[in-house]
Amino acid sequence: MRRIRKAVFPAAGLGTRFLPATKAQPKEMLPLVDKPIIQYVIEEAVASGLTNIIIVTGRGKNAIEDHFDVSYELEQLLQERGKTDLLEQVRAISNMINVSYVRQGETLGLGHAVLMAKDLVGDEPFAVMLGDDIIDSAVPCMKQMTEVFERHGGPVIAVQRVPRQEISAYGVIDGIPEDAGDRVFRIRDMVEKPKADEAPSDLAIIGRYILTPDIFEALERTPRDAGGEIQLTNGLRALKERRALYGYRFEGRRHDAGNKLGFLKATVEFALQREDLGAPFRDYLRGLKL
Ligand code: UTP
């Protein structure tokens, strides 16, 4: 079993749910408190032992590359002004990872974005992590998943129970429990955005995957859907015919930072957890007439 070293971050989407903020700025760079959302997810990858980062970008995404690049002028300025704390923080970002970029020319869906990383991933298992899902947990979600991958030896898809009335926004798995802890499921089938009364379960697919390189061939054969996109879920359905796939109900709290309400909730919770901001922010919230 090969150790997972590489993580693919599809970040070429248009972020229409966040317009107008995303007109000229990538959604991934919106800050939760004072850190862009993509940095939280990259930090989760690093904390899970994945330091080889592949970001799939598109038009108007230069800010992401700049963020993870060395900023000589800024570093020099901070040094001259003796702001060593900030200097260390800024340096840590570019030192943190070994990052490569690949471009998705047209936004043809998540499956297509993953396919763009084929050559950079090569012939080894890898992670796919979506910046929209920020997971707050004692053990990083991706670390939990690499352990499941090592135990079961097949692709692992993160899932979470969601209320029935919300299920139609997600990909949903039909799975049989694989362990007594009700966390690992052997996937029988999966459906993209089912109607509430047609969903096979309440286990929704969240933006964390461990995939094996045979997914690329499956995606190459996956036809475009009605909207003209290649869905990752459809590629995975094809792969399921050839090997066992697992759903993993991770331990942790997930924030959907890809929509405005989820983003606001995450901002409040992360600010409350901060040592420097938590207490005054809590006082401020208490004083609001709600
Ligand atoms: P979303 O469905 O959230 O799409 O994609 P989006 O464009 O980012 O946002 P909305 O829905 O228009 O507001 C899920 C993830 O897949 C990436 C996105 O960047 C996001 O991380 N993605 C999606 C691509 O990289 N390429 C695509 O063609 C589609």
Side-chain angles (χ1 to χ4, degrees), residues 95-127:
N95 288 339
M96 188 161 62
I97 47 169
N98 169 2
V99 61
S100 348
Y101 297 91
V102 61
R103 239 177 132 76
Q104 184 190 24
E106 269 185 285
T107 48
L108 294 177
L110 177 58
H112 183 259
V114 171
L115 200 46
M116 296 298 101
K118 180 181 174 186
D119 289 345
L120 288 172
V121 168
D123 190 26
E124 59 182 285
F126 64 103

Side-chain angles (χ1 to χ4, degrees), residues 10-17 27-28 104 107-110 113 130-132:
L14 300 175
T16 52
R17 283 170 296 166
K27 172 174 74 175
E28 294 75 16
Q104 184 190 24
T107 48
L108 294 177
L110 177 58
L130 301 191
D132 287 0

